[in-house]
Structures are given as structure tokens and as C-alpha cells.
Amino acid sequence: MSDQTTLEQKAHSNGYLAGSNLERVLRAGHFAVTAELGPPQSADAQVIRQKAALLRGYCDAVNITDNQTAIVRMSSIGAAAIALQEGLEPVMQMTCRDRNRLAMQSDLLGAYALGLRNVLCLTGDHQSFGNHPQAKNVFDMDSIQLIHMVAAMRDEHVFECGDPLKGAEPRFFIGAAAAPFAGPVEFRPYRLGKKVKAGANFIQTQLVYDVEAFSKFMEKVRALGLHEQTFILAGVGPLKSPTMARYMQQQVPGILVPDALIERMEAAGAPWAGKKKEELTKEDKKARTVAWQQEGIQICIELIQQLRQIKGVSGVHIMAIEWEEAVKPIVEGAGLYPRPQVN
Amino acid sequence: MIVAEQKPLQEIKALISNAQNVLVVGCGTCVTVCFAGGEREAAILAASLRMSTRLDGKPQEIRHETVQRQCEWEYLDQIAELVQQADIVLSLGCGIGVQAIAEHFPQKWVVPGLNTTFLGLPSEQGVWVERCAACGDCILGLTGGICPIARCSKSLLNGPCGGSEDGHCEISPDTPCAWQLIYDRLLSMDKLHLLMEIQPPKNWRTSRDGGPRKIVREDLRLPTKEE
Ligand code: SF4
Ligand code: SF4
């Protein structure tokens, strides 16, 4: 890394910024794999344990989402602490939507004390998407300011207000998101640059299905030298059905799904195509779902293989929310199993 | 200007239901320009209430008057007599006007006939849009005259977020993304370097977060009697 010296200056006595497994894997030069675990809309710890069992051993760290899409769920910190007990390394997600700078800093202290070592700093979806659209949002800070605050707590031992942080500082490996295809597209590499400048050690991108468009983004990222200052993990996710693929293509901002992939998903369901709902037996429907899922997983594996060839891509972030079972075959199929052990 | 819109008639009727003599007070400034509470709207509302309460079989005495500015004492003095005669004042001013009446006539019950909505402008005939959130520390000089506090759904200072697509905000295809607008304008003015700087967290103390705000201009104050 070109700014190795700065990293070393900031590093702890053990040579790492945070010493998380994710940091160790990335700094050792391995192609990293992260996954995602969505906490339940309940206080049921068992749900986390079951999902954790599906992911253990198949990723270097797992993102624990923070009230994703503005729907109330078990807190990211709480769920992350359980995941940690289950032998996973969590990446605690933190959005700016629900907390002000006081709450965010105190949560960072508490999370570190519980043993969490990675944080992903996000702006957060607007609450109008979720189940409490009447809520008052916070947005005291934005994601870039949050990144900077976490970095300053770690590297300069100060709170956001400038007061010194006396005693143990929270040492997080700091992540940020990138949306290569959101508007204005020309500005996206520069926005990533701002996140890196603010202190992002790793980046997880929005879902990539259009490898060509992503390559163009990465070209600009490399021209800015960002891939040498941060680790970039490309976001991937298995498609579940042609309907889901089309929905993402048309409805979800910042995601490009090429028609060719939708056609592949449709082809996978071809034996059952053209039939009316009533004509399909339960078994038919099940077989079609399996065929779609297999194709979705296969496409995901191919995407990982293509993304791996792009210079500056240090790993993949697999988003298979509510389909954690898919992670194992994807990681195995992409030749990324077993995961490296770095001490 | 301050932009407001009238409350539904049913809600207004419920607010004044216990009064016999009602005085509707319009305001000749912002709410006149946005057709919510001017002379004309006060007259129409008074007529509607008269008719509606009569149809209900419980006719109320409804009078109306409009002052040039409800938010200044001297204009309120002009309606003191009418206010005294009424059981209730239904203000068609913005929230400031309603409070000015309450403060100026402490013995009188006053209710709002409008919902005060935002600080903005008419973008076309019949359409008003928000432009300022009165944050108390204007940053328009950094953003090409487009306010991210009022116009970005998340008040981001280092936008755009990942939800911006085709120029609109993630919350709705009808809401322009403020940061796309800022980007376009800075690009066209050759000032994109302004977007490359990281803006630090905002000091919200100058905004409502610091508590109710007040400005004291010593240069304009009248000398106190002792001096
Ligand atoms: S920056 Fe503050 S004062 Fe300026 S327009 Fe926006 S809200 Fe109003
Ligand atoms: S899409 Fe644009 S206006 Fe909407 S929250 Fe994001 S940056 Fe703000």
C-alpha cells in the first residue's frame, strides 16, 4: 500500500489498526469474503445463532445490518455480540439515521468493549421506506463525517467535540459503502475518495451485476489511486427469481441488472414457463424455485470470478439476506473455501 | 416566504365548536401570497363556516378581518375591539401570527386555521416548494445557492447518498435530489472543487437544536427609561 507508513503510524503496537480478522486477511493479501446477516424483528437470539451456523467458516467477517431499510430489528450491536459468541467476526453496521453524535460515540465505545472490531459507516435509508415512516430522523452527521469521527477516536484519541478520550480508545477497522451506479455517476469515484480521505480502511460496494460498468468505475478509482489506500470489496448477491431480478433492475436505485442475466434466470425456469398458476403442482413450483436458485447461485459464482480479475478488487461482499444458505455453495463454487487463517 | 395551507373545514369547525362569536383574522403578507390566509381566503372561510354551521342547525356568528401583518403588535392593535367582542379568534396567519395574537390578547382563546408548512417559493402557478430550514448558519456559498439542509431528505453535507438516481431522491420520483442539483450547478459553474472538500459535522446550535432562538441588535434597541 502506498500509504503504508501512515497506516503503520496509526497502527497499534501489534502493527494493525484494529487487528480484526478482516483486517488481517486483507493485509496479508488474501481475497476477502464478507457476508451479511440480518437481525430478526424480535428479541430471539436463536435466529442469530441459526444464521451464524450457516455462515461460520465461509466468510472472514459478517455484516450485521442496522435497522435495514428502516425496519425495526434487533440492534446491530446486540446481534453482533451474539454472532461473536457464535464464532463469527461481525462488521457492525451503523447508520446516521437513528442516532446523533452522542449516541453513536457511546455505541462505538460499548461495541468495542463487547469485542467488536469492524464498523461499517452508513448514511442509512430514509425512514419513509420502513415500518415507522412517522419517525423523526436524526442525520446529525453523514456517513463521511461518521467515518472521520471513528478514525479520530482511534487515531487521535479524541471525541467529536475535541475532548480527549482518556483510557482505552475504540480501535475499529473502518468500513464504508460505495454506490458505483447511483447518480451522478461521474461523481461516484470522487465520493469514494472523500470516504477514503475521511478514514475508510475498507469499502463494500452496492450489488454489482454489470461487470462492465463496474470495471469502468474501477478504472477511475485506480486513476485516483484509491485502491492503494483502501481495500475494495465488490458487492454480489444471488438472484432468487426472474421477478426479483426485474424488480432490482427497475425499482432499486443504484443497481444495474443486465437483460442477459434476467434472460438466464428466465431460461432456468423455462420447463415451467407459459403455464398458468393452477396448472403447476406444488412439486412443479418447488422444482422451479430450486432451478432458479441454482442459476442465481451459478451467476453469482461467475460474477465473483469476473470481479476477481479486476485490478483493485480485494474481495467480495456477499449479500444473501434471508437466504444465508446460499453463501456456502457460492463460496465453495467460487473456489474461496476454505477461508485463510491469518494470525 | 412562509408557506402554509388551510386546515380541512371539519378540523376548523371542531376547533371553534364551543364558541358563539368567532373572529376570523387573515394576514396580508406571506399567507396572502400563497393563497392560504389572506383577505380573500378569510372572507371565503367565514362564509363557508357560516353556511356550514347553519346547515348543521347550530349557527355561529362569524366575522372576519384582515391585518397587514399578524406578526407585529401595531397591526394587531387595529383589531383590538373586534377581538374583544369575539369568543374565539380563528387566525389565518402562520404559526407566528397565531402566537402573536395569543401573546397580545392574553385573555382571548386563539386557534389556528392553517398548517404552517415551510419556507419556500412558488415554483410555478399553484406549486410551492421548500427552500430554507432557517438553520442559522447559511452554507449556500458552498453549495452553489442550493440548500442541502432543507432540500436533501437527509440534510447531508457531503452528499449525494447512494439513493440518488436519475436526478431524483430515493424517497420519491417527484422529489429532485438536492445533491444532484448541487453537482450540476457546480459543474456548470466550474466549481466542482467545492464538492471535493469534506464538510465537517454541522454545528446545529444555531438551528432549533440550540433551543428557541433570539436575535438582539443593540444598535437598533431603544434606550431604556433610566438612561
Ligand atoms: S443553509 Fe441554512 S440558512 Fe441557508 S438556506 Fe439552508 S437552511 Fe436556510
Ligand atoms: S437522494 Fe439526494 S436528496 Fe435524497 S437523501 Fe440522498 S442525497 Fe439527499
Side-chain angles (χ1 to χ4, degrees):
Chain A
M1 290 181 95
S2 67
D3 70 339
Q4 197 67 32
T5 38
T6 23
L7 273 187
E8 266 156 22
Q9 277 159 7
K10 288 176 187 168
H12 207 235
S13 51
N14 59 12
Y16 287 110
L17 295 167
S20 69
N21 185 54
L22 181 60
E23 181 184 6
R24 281 184 276 125
V25 166
L26 284 166
R27 301 235 344 231
H30 297 290
F31 191 76
V33 176
T34 54
E36 207 154 290
L37 188 160
Q41 296 182 51
S42 75
D44 189 353
Q46 207 46 38
V47 177
I48 312 279
R49 300 210 160 93
Q50 280 158 4
K51 290 185 175 184
L54 296 169
L55 299 170
R56 197 184 303 120
Y58 290 93
C59 54
D60 306 313
V62 58
N63 285 35
I64 313 291
T65 52
D66 178 15
N67 287 338
Q68 197 176 29
T69 59
I71 290 173
V72 178
R73 292 171 180 278
M74 185 190 293
S75 72
S76 175
I77 296 182
I82 299 167
L84 189 63
Q85 291 167 3
E86 292 301 301
L88 286 181
E89 178 174 275
V91 176
M92 171 183 65
Q93 296 196 178
M94 183 175 267
T95 74
C96 298
R97 179 193 57 232
D98 306 330
R99 306 172 182 79
N100 66 12
R101 61 192 85 177
L102 276 95
M104 289 200 278
Q105 290 178 99
S106 77
D107 278 353
L108 286 162
L109 298 179
Y112 187 79
L114 282 168
L116 308 182
R117 294 294 178 264
N118 308 297
V119 61
L120 185 77
C121 303
L122 300 168
T123 302
D125 296 323
H126 194 266
Q127 76 276 9
S128 58
F129 288 99
N131 60 357
H132 290 73
Q134 313 85 347
K136 183 170 182 185
N137 62 35
V138 183
F139 298 116
D140 178 26
M141 303 174 90
D142 61 32
S143 57
I144 289 175
Q145 296 159 349
L146 172 58
I147 294 163
H148 186 265
M149 181 171 81
V150 185
M153 288 171 89
R154 181 189 67 199
D155 303 331
E156 289 151 42
H157 307 182
V158 288
F159 290 110
E160 197 281 321
C161 60
D163 284 357
L165 198 164
K166 295 183 190 123
E169 75 280 9
R171 302 196 61 81
F172 284 102
F173 193 48
I174 305 170
F181 315 121
V185 168
E186 323 79 68
F187 185 63
R188 290 295 156 181
Y190 297 100
R191 176 151 159 97
L192 177 59
K194 283 177 85 170
K195 292 190 173 185
V196 172
K197 193 166 150 197
N201 308 123
F202 71 100
I203 303 294
Q204 291 170 323
T205 77
Q206 176 60 287
L207 286 166
V208 178
Y209 291 101
D210 190 331
V211 178
E212 211 185 301
F214 185 70
S215 298
K216 287 198 188 120
F217 169 77
M218 284 302 296
E219 249 168 58
K220 296 207 188 100
V221 167
R222 286 196 302 272
L224 294 171
L226 300 176
H227 65 304
E228 291 171 338
Q229 300 163 48
T230 193
F231 297 103
I232 299 170
L233 279 63
V236 293
L239 296 165
K240 263 186 179 163
S241 65
T243 320
M244 173 204 179
R246 233 173 279 115
Y247 173 80
M248 289 216 286
Q249 184 188 51
Q250 286 159 13
Q251 304 289 331
V252 185
I255 298 187
L256 301 179
V257 185
D259 289 334
L261 290 189
I262 297 181
E263 283 157 21
R264 270 184 71 175
M265 290 301 287
E266 275 164 354
W272 301 273
K275 294 213 175 102
K276 289 201 190 99
K277 250 190 190 162
E278 314 81 74
E279 292 168 14
L280 290 173
T281 63
K282 235 187 180 167
E283 287 72 40
D284 284 339
K285 282 187 197 156
K286 217 173 156 192
R288 185 179 60 180
T289 305
V290 170
W292 279 338
Q293 292 189 346
Q294 279 174 350
E295 187 65 359
I297 288 173
Q298 183 54 35
I299 291 173
C300 191
I301 291 169
E302 291 168 26
L303 285 169
I304 294 176
Q305 285 159 347
Q306 292 165 22
L307 290 167
R308 210 178 164 170
Q309 306 305 318
I310 300 174
K311 190 168 176 240
V313 174
S314 301
V316 280
H317 176 52
I318 305 170
M319 287 171 262
I321 279 259
E322 301 309 326
W323 189 16
E324 285 79 5
E325 294 85 351
V327 172
K328 179 175 183 253
I330 292 170
V331 174
E332 285 175 343
L336 295 168
Y337 186 80
R339 299 306 309 144
Q341 301 294 319
V342 185
N343 293 313
Chain B
M1 69 168 103
I2 295 171
V3 182
E5 60 182 349
Q6 229 172 72
K7 285 178 177 289
L9 193 66
Q10 285 311 318
E11 186 182 343
I12 293 177
K13 278 172 70 181
L15 282 168
I16 61 168
S17 63
N18 290 328
Q20 191 49 50
N21 294 298
V22 180
L23 177 66
V24 179
V25 183
C27 176
T29 309
C30 302
V31 293
T32 293
V33 196
C34 66
F35 303 98
E39 169 113 59
R40 192 166 155 269
E41 291 76 29
I44 295 171
L45 179 66
S48 311
L49 287 171
R50 245 174 254 128
M51 191 185 306
S52 178
T53 55
R54 201 178 309 133
L55 286 173
D56 293 343
K58 288 184 215 139
Q60 286 167 286
E61 191 66 43
I62 318 265
R63 300 166 84 180
H64 66 91
E65 185 59 78
T66 295
V67 297
Q68 193 175 333
R69 275 200 286 284
Q70 271 187 39
C71 56
E72 286 187 46
W73 310 136
E74 56 180 294
Y75 296 106
L76 292 181
D77 283 335
Q78 297 165 5
I79 55 165
E81 206 164 309
L82 285 169
V83 169
Q84 293 321 327
Q85 291 160 9
D87 303 327
I88 199 167
V89 177
L90 171 61
S91 164
L92 286 192
C94 68
I96 307 163
V98 182
Q99 294 181 63
I101 291 175
E103 201 169 333
H104 207 56
F105 304 108
Q107 309 296 327
K108 198 58 65 182
W109 193 245
V110 55
V111 293
L114 303 186
N115 290 320
T116 304
T117 316
F118 51 77
L119 307 181
L121 54 79
S123 59
E124 57 184 277
Q125 175 116 5
V127 179
W128 288 267
V129 283
E130 182 164 17
R131 286 293 179 259
C132 172
C135 76
D137 183 11
C138 195
I139 56 161
L140 288 174
L142 288 171
T143 57
I146 294 162
C147 174
I149 309 294
R151 297 171 70 182
C152 162
S153 302
K154 302 174 189 170
S155 298
L156 304 178
L157 293 181
N158 290 286
C161 78
S164 176
E165 190 171 66
D166 297 333
H168 60 73
C169 172
E170 68 178 27
I171 67 158
S172 145
D174 305 325
T175 309
C177 168
W179 279 101
Q180 174 78 54
L181 297 173
I182 293 169
Y183 177 85
D184 292 345
R185 183 151 156 82
L186 295 186
L187 179 68
S188 75
M189 304 286 288
D190 208 13
K191 287 192 189 301
L192 270 187
H193 63 273
L194 289 171
L195 280 196
M196 303 304 167
E197 295 297 314
I198 294 177
Q199 294 307 322
K202 191 169 171 69
N203 176 359
W204 294 106
R205 262 182 302 189
T206 57
S207 188
R208 242 297 300 166
D209 307 86
R213 293 168 280 178
K214 180 177 175 179
I215 293 175
V216 181
R217 285 274 305 269
E218 291 300 345
D219 56 330
L220 295 176
R221 293 185 94 179
L222 298 175
T224 49
K225 286 204 180 82
E226 291 89 334
E227 283 174 59

